[in-house]
Structures are given as structure tokens and as C-alpha cells.
């Protein structure tokens, strides 16, 4: 197994049929997997929850949406590579609803 030390910094995601990822052993590359859509009951329930939460977002006033935008901008999250990122107000609302 070869060690990967990218010049541009940590890699994550897929490009050209390869997926770049990291685990406790470090960075690794694997062939990109084709996603499946099993349409299970659990998956349909999750989609329903997300759909409902997005619908509730549409019912919020502009002031409420702005408050969620501010809240999202104040609460950093960390991705698996240790990089900070921020959610939009809509993303934060759906995540916490």
C-alpha cells in the first residue's frame, strides 16, 4: 500500500472514477462506488422528514429566516478532514427540526 501525500493539501471526494478519503490510517484512494437507491421504508421516511422540514421553512417569516441565517453563521461545524464550515439558515433549520 502506498502512502498518499497530496501537494495541494488534504483531498476528499470523487474525481475521474476515484474516491479520495481519509480514515485513522491516513488518506487513501479507492474506485468510485456506484450509488444505489433501495427505496427502503426507512429511506422514504427520511425523505419525508426532510420534505416536511423544508416545507416548514417556507412558512417562516423573513425575520425568522434571517435569525436562522445568523445562527448558522455563528455555529461552525467541522468536516471529516478537520476543516470548518458553516450551514445556511435553511440547512441549520432542517438539521435541527
Amino acid at each position: 500500500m502506498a502512502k498518499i501525500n497530496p501537494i495541494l493539501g488534504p483531498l476528499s471526494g470523487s474525481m475521474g472514477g476515484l474516491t479520495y478519503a481519509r480514515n485513522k490510517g491516513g488518506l487513501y484512494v479507492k474506485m468510485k462506488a456506484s450509488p444505489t437507491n433501495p427505496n427502503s421504508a426507512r429511506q422514504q421516511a427520511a425523505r419525508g422528514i426532510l420534505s416536511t422540514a423544508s416545507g416548514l421553512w417556507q412558512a417562516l417569516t423573513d425575520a425568522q429566516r434571517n435569525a436562522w441565517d445568523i445562527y448558522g453563521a455563528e455555529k461552525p461545524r467541522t468536516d471529516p478532514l478537520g476543516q470548518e464550515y458553516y450551514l445556511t439558515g435553511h440547512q441549520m433549520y432542517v438539521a435541527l427540526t
Side-chain angles (χ1 to χ4, degrees):
M1 174 182 252
K3 282 234 177 220
I4 300 169
N5 190 8
I7 295 170
L8 301 175
L11 298 173
S12 177
S14 296
M15 180 173 57
L18 298 175
T19 297
Y20 300 87
R22 185 179 96 161
N23 63 15
K24 64 181 180 179
L27 294 172
Y28 67 94
V29 180
K30 65 181 182 176
M31 297 299 292
K32 184 177 176 184
S34 298
T36 61
N37 186 9
N39 258 347
S40 66
R42 186 172 177 188
Q43 183 183 52
Q44 291 302 315
R47 287 178 176 169
I49 290 167
L50 290 173
S51 177
T52 299
S54 286
L56 291 171
W57 170 262
Q58 296 300 321
L60 295 179
T61 65
D62 287 339
Q64 290 170 319
R65 288 185 195 173
N66 288 336
W68 278 101
D69 285 333
I70 292 167
Y71 183 66
E74 292 175 347
K75 301 292 181 186
R77 299 233 172 157
T78 306
D79 69 13
L81 295 175
Q83 303 293 317
E84 261 189 15
Y85 68 97
Y86 296 86
L87 297 179
T88 66
H90 180 252
Q91 291 168 330
M92 186 66 83
Y93 179 81
V94 170
L96 298 177
T97 300

